Amino acid sequence: MTTRGVLYVHSAPRALCPHVEWAVAGVLGTRVNLDWIRQPASPGTWRSEFSWQGEAGTASKLASALRGWQLLRFEVTSEPCPTAEGERYSCTPGLGIFHAVTGIHGDILIPEDRLRAALVRSQRGESDLEAELAKLLGKPWDDELEPFRYAGEGAPVRWLHQVV
């Protein structure tokens, strides 16, 4: 079963850009040429967006292929399909990788066991419940990536055509 998704490379040093393309091509099994533009949020870095189509699980393969480079900020999303939920991966140099399962409307779906574990840690005084929930929702990653998400002048704009 196939799904669609988007790879957002929020910032990459110029020297890393061809390596990102090679990694994506290796996962997708086809040549990939990304359109790179300057990232105004981090001078000296570049950004790109790439829509992809592949088998369910492709988002995790893309995230795994890119996660080892410490200077790279990226997100990978995939839409739900009949055999799999949607996914979202976010990665920053300081926080590492975040993974969330997403529903048909893009909402993050948090598994019951992860909610229970957060509640237990909070009840034991090991952490604050609000902070635990923020991590489960990916808030630290969103906070760090938000300045990089704003498209700079000349960045492509993606129009959503499916109305829910």
Side-chain angles (χ1 to χ4, degrees):
M1 189 61 61
T2 62
T3 187
R4 301 181 297 191
V6 180
L7 166 65
Y8 302 93
V9 178
H10 292 298
S11 71
R14 188 69 173 152
L16 195 54
C17 294
H19 298 281
V20 170
E21 291 180 1
W22 297 329
V24 173
V27 170
L28 299 178
T30 186
R31 186 179 171 153
V32 173
N33 289 310
L34 301 179
D35 293 325
W36 296 96
I37 61 171
R38 294 184 189 276
Q39 171 53 273
S42 179
T45 65
W46 297 78
R47 61 177 283 141
S48 186
E49 294 181 15
F50 180 73
S51 296
W52 57 268
Q53 186 170 344
E55 296 179 8
T58 298
S60 64
K61 292 176 184 175
L62 287 168
S64 292
L66 298 175
R67 73 184 257 170
W69 292 312
Q70 289 299 312
L71 299 175
L72 189 64
R73 288 178 180 85
F74 69 88
E75 290 180 278
V76 182
T77 63
S78 72
E79 296 177 359
C81 66
T83 60
E85 298 286 356
E87 293 182 286
R88 176 181 149 211
Y89 292 87
S90 301
C91 189
T92 71
L95 297 171
I97 199 155
F98 167 77
H99 171 254
V101 174
T102 57
I104 61 171
H105 300 293
D107 297 321
I108 291 177
L109 307 176
I110 302 171
E112 180 181 338
D113 62 330
R114 293 184 71 194
L115 285 171
R116 289 183 190 279
L119 185 59
V120 166
R121 283 190 297 273
S122 173
Q123 288 172 337
R124 289 182 183 165
E126 298 170 8
S127 65
D128 175 63
L129 183 58
E130 185 176 345
E132 288 284 336
L133 293 176
K135 283 175 58 178
L136 290 173
L137 292 170
K139 186 175 181 339
W141 287 264
D142 287 338
D143 290 346
E144 187 169 326
L145 290 173
E146 195 60 30
F148 295 89
R149 289 179 178 145
Y150 290 104
E153 187 175 323
V157 175
R158 303 241 181 254
W159 294 101
L160 302 177
H161 297 287
Q162 182 178 359
V163 177
V164 181

